[in-house]
Amino acid sequence: MASLILQIFLLLVIVATSQGSPVSDPPLQIHLLRSRLGSGGHHIPGVSCLSWRLGVETNNIIGWKTVPEECEDYVGHYMLGKQYREDSAVVTEEAFTHAKTFKLAGDGKDIWVFDVDETTLSNLPYYAKHGFGAELYNSTAFNQWVLTGKALALPESLKLYRKLLSVGIKVVFLTGRTEDQRAVTSHNLNAAGYHVWEHLILRSSSYSGKTAVFYKSSERAKLEKKGYRIIGNIGDQWSDLLGTSVGNRTFKLPDPMYYIS
């Protein structure tokens, strides 16, 4: 039986968005993931992919360019499987627990900062087709995907978004996407269920050559200068959460597919 199981290609669940309110379980979309012996958490000689992912998520492994080739299927199975969703739920539930501890000023200046890719929107259909990070990032192919406007909502983030709005916290989207992608990003967010926001901030050409940490720190500082109070800040990359003006508390969603400095 074990031998038979190892020969089966697993069909795993990918996140999808649910429209309207109240929030319900999202419809499922299935993508085929090619499986090799050693994926799905099994031991790979010389490489512990579980330990590698822990190092990535804790920011102890930094500056990496690609997922170790031996770990690509492991990362794929994690991202398409229930563990990724469960891990995301722990983060977003803790985020709302934090948000509820605040007595809001009532002046409309209490905000929550969300990253976009792999935070509010999920690009897993793209990665299911193009691979899970073992190859160098292909900006041309990814930007072509972005322009389709078909990224899905990460359901756990969508639930957090709706809960924050329900208690009077406004939302700001701060993304590494460039200014020329504003229209498609706005349309995609709406289609995925994010219908209201205070600001949608995209990266302008003035940040050319600057790190994501510098860019996002600078934009958060601008928000604070306008009188906004950042109650919370959530993203899938450490560069979303490090630097200055990070907010009262930060929350890191899982993402072992790529690293942005």
Side-chain angles (χ1 to χ4, degrees), residues 9-226:
F9 286 172
L10 301 178
L11 291 177
L12 296 176
V13 177
I14 188 172
V15 296
T17 184
S18 57
Q19 301 294 328
S21 182
V23 177
S24 58
D25 289 336
L28 302 180
Q29 294 192 9
I30 305 300
H31 292 269
L32 180 64
L33 177 65
R34 291 176 305 205
S35 178
R36 291 196 298 265
L37 179 62
S39 63
H42 296 284
H43 175 66
I44 300 172
V47 177
S48 170
C49 294
L50 280 168
S51 298
W52 179 83
R53 183 169 69 84
L54 176 63
V56 165
E57 298 296 2
T58 54
N59 206 33
N60 289 317
I61 299 175
I62 63 175
W64 53 280
K65 301 298 182 183
T66 61
V67 172
E69 184 178 357
E70 304 94 322
C71 296
E72 182 179 11
D73 279 358
Y74 166 78
V75 169
H77 280 280
Y78 170 75
M79 293 300 298
L80 295 176
K82 68 177 183 178
Q83 191 62 53
Y84 169 61
R85 294 287 302 279
E86 291 175 354
D87 292 347
S88 298
V90 167
V91 176
T92 55
E93 287 168 8
E94 181 64 22
F96 189 60
T97 297
H98 161 73
K100 290 188 296 183
T101 65
F102 282 84
K103 183 177 180 181
L104 304 183
D107 58 359
K109 293 294 186 178
D110 294 307
I111 62 171
W112 195 283
V113 176
F114 281 83
D115 174 50
V116 172
D117 291 301
E118 273 57 69
T119 298
T120 47
L121 296 178
S122 170
N123 300 297
L124 283 181
Y126 169 84
Y127 291 107
K129 180 179 179 180
H130 292 274
F132 290 91
E135 301 293 333
L136 287 173
Y137 172 69
N138 186 325
S139 59
T140 300
F142 184 75
N143 287 335
Q144 288 174 345
W145 158 255
V146 167
L147 292 176
T148 68
K150 294 180 179 180
L152 308 170
L154 179 61
E156 288 69 34
S157 291
L158 182 58
K159 290 176 184 178
L160 173 62
Y161 161 86
R162 288 172 170 165
K163 288 178 180 179
L164 292 172
L165 292 181
S166 74
V167 298
I169 298 175
K170 294 185 176 181
V171 166
V172 170
F173 295 120
L174 175 56
T175 174
R177 293 186 179 193
T178 51
E179 188 63 43
D180 61 321
Q181 295 174 332
R182 176 175 293 277
V184 70
T185 300
S186 177
H187 173 79
N188 200 159
L189 286 167
N190 267 294
Y194 302 96
H195 304 305
V196 178
W197 54 79
E198 186 76 353
H199 295 287
L200 170 58
I201 303 170
L202 296 98
R203 186 168 180 145
S204 70
S205 59
S206 65
Y207 290 108
S208 178
K210 304 295 185 181
T211 66
V213 171
F214 179 86
Y215 156 60
K216 293 203 168 184
S217 294
S218 299
E219 291 299 323
R220 290 191 300 261
K222 290 178 183 178
L223 290 169
E224 291 183 332
K225 287 180 181 179
K226 293 178 181 178

